[in-house]
Amino acid sequence: MSLKEQIDSSRLPSHIAIIMDGNGRWAQEKGEDRLFGHLHGVESVRDVVEGAAELGIKNLTLYAFSTENWDRPEDEVSGLMELLIDTIKKEVPTLNKNNIKLHVIGAVDMLPSGALAELNEAMAQTASNTGLNLIMALSYSSRWEIINAVKQIAGDAKAGKIDPNTIDHQAFHSYLSTDRFPDPELMIRTSGEYRISNFLLYQLAYTELYFTSTLWPDFRKEDLYDAILDFQKRERRFGKTGEQLKK
Ligand code: IPE
Ligand code: IPE
Ligand code: MG
């Protein structure tokens, strides 16, 4: 049986989030420039998005650029931005063909205006698709998101729109940029790093974490299937005992 056939389609994670890491090292191992790695990373994005859509995954978040990544060398940042605009432009027909709706989370006002315009255009062109939600985390950091939410809540409280005593998980969640989506059930990080790097800190509270040493440009559908199969073996307890879950 192929890996794909082993997946129980009735127990798919409703939301998969991926920290796509290792492009730079992949390129350096080959004696190439870091940008060469980012270029090949796009191939992995294509394959994994297609794989997720074929399986019927509803939500896929890809961490493509963090707030902290703005501090990388200027040529890497500008190269990445160019690649981003180019890829998004090129991929819109494929997204539409596969009924994929594009979303973006992050401090997008930090993006060059051309990139932002392309993004908005791509989101508008895929807005009526009803299949996979592809959520690109761009210029994203979780602390940025949480602080932003706190600012808005404080503003709304000051304006008398909300009563601070009524703020609960659901109310707080509604101020996050991921409000429209369920919290990730599976988080994958490639490249053998065991950290979260400012990604979805609040939303990952009960997410199953999967780490692989595969570098992002080598990651393909089959690796996604591996991660999902691993997820399906786990017992998610949410604070309860194993015995309680069997009842
Ligand atoms: C991930 O690969 C892509 C981005 C962060 C934009 P890296 O560029 O971080 O690659 P490594 O971790 O240096 O190998
Ligand atoms: C995390 O990778 C961000 C993205 C994959 C976009 P980094 O390579 O920036 O993370 P650190 O610096 O190793 O923690
Ligand atoms: Mg990295």
Side-chain angles (χ1 to χ4, degrees):
M1 228 187 344
S2 72
L3 278 177
K4 192 180 178 188
E5 285 163 350
Q6 290 171 45
I7 293 174
D8 177 352
S9 58
S10 69
R11 291 193 304 121
L12 289 172
S14 60
H15 184 174
I16 300 177
I18 308 182
I19 302 179
M20 310 184 289
D21 197 15
N23 295 352
R25 278 165 284 168
W26 186 88
Q28 277 156 353
E29 273 176 11
K30 295 177 164 48
E32 299 280 352
D33 196 62
R34 293 178 59 85
L35 275 169
F36 182 75
H38 297 312
L39 196 65
H40 281 267
V42 173
E43 282 309 310
S44 306
V45 172
R46 272 198 203 102
D47 202 58
V48 166
V49 169
E50 188 182 85
E54 284 166 356
L55 283 174
I57 301 289
K58 289 307 295 175
N59 303 283
L60 176 68
T61 298
L62 299 179
Y63 199 8
F65 195 84
S66 73
T67 314
E68 288 76 18
N69 289 150
W70 287 113
D71 295 330
R72 290 195 177 187
E74 223 175 277
D75 57 340
E76 183 171 348
V77 172
S78 59
L80 263 167
M81 287 301 140
E82 228 171 272
L83 185 62
L84 178 79
I85 307 177
D86 225 51
T87 306
I88 287 169
K89 239 193 210 166
K90 278 196 200 132
E91 290 305 308
V92 169
T94 312
L95 295 178
N96 282 331
K97 195 182 96 205
N98 295 322
N99 197 21
I100 299 168
K101 184 169 176 171
L102 180 71
H103 307 261
V104 175
I105 56 170
V108 286
D109 51 355
M110 288 173 78
L111 293 168
S113 58
L116 189 55
E118 289 298 341
L119 264 180
N120 286 332
E121 177 72 15
M123 284 192 283
Q125 287 177 346
T126 63
S128 56
N129 293 339
T130 55
L132 173 73
N133 286 312
L134 173 61
I135 306 140
M136 298 299 295
L138 276 180
S139 185
Y140 173 89
S141 89
S142 194
R143 287 184 175 171
W144 163 83
E145 180 184 40
I146 291 169
I147 290 166
N148 225 10
V150 170
K151 275 189 199 156
Q152 287 179 43
I153 292 169
D156 283 352
K158 200 171 159 196
K161 286 192 210 155
I162 51 162
D163 173 359
N165 293 311
T166 64
I167 298 171
D168 54 10
H169 163 64
Q170 210 185 337
F172 182 75
H173 203 271
S174 73
Y175 284 86
L176 296 175
S177 53
T178 54
D179 179 43
R180 289 161 288 171
F181 316 109
D183 287 342
E185 293 198 291
L186 170 62
M187 196 287 284
I188 300 168
R189 182 173 189 147
T190 59
S191 89
E193 304 295 350
Y194 297 88
R195 55 178 172 266
I196 303 296
S197 302
N198 216 346
F199 187 45
L200 303 172
L201 302 178
Y202 186 83
Q203 296 88 336
L204 293 178
Y206 270 105
T207 305
E208 294 299 326
L209 307 181
Y210 180 87
F211 296 96
T212 170
S213 59
T214 302
L215 301 173
W216 180 250
D218 288 329
F219 197 92
R220 288 292 180 275
K221 282 178 198 178
E222 299 294 316
D223 302 283
L224 179 72
Y225 303 155
D226 268 334
I228 295 173
L229 284 167
D230 193 86
F231 166 85
Q232 292 190 331
K233 285 194 214 116
R234 311 233 184 140
E235 181 178 64
R236 305 187 70 203
R237 289 195 282 272
F238 300 98
K240 298 201 169 108
T241 67
E243 285 67 36
Q244 280 177 298
L245 297 175
K246 286 180 190 92
K247 278 182 194 150

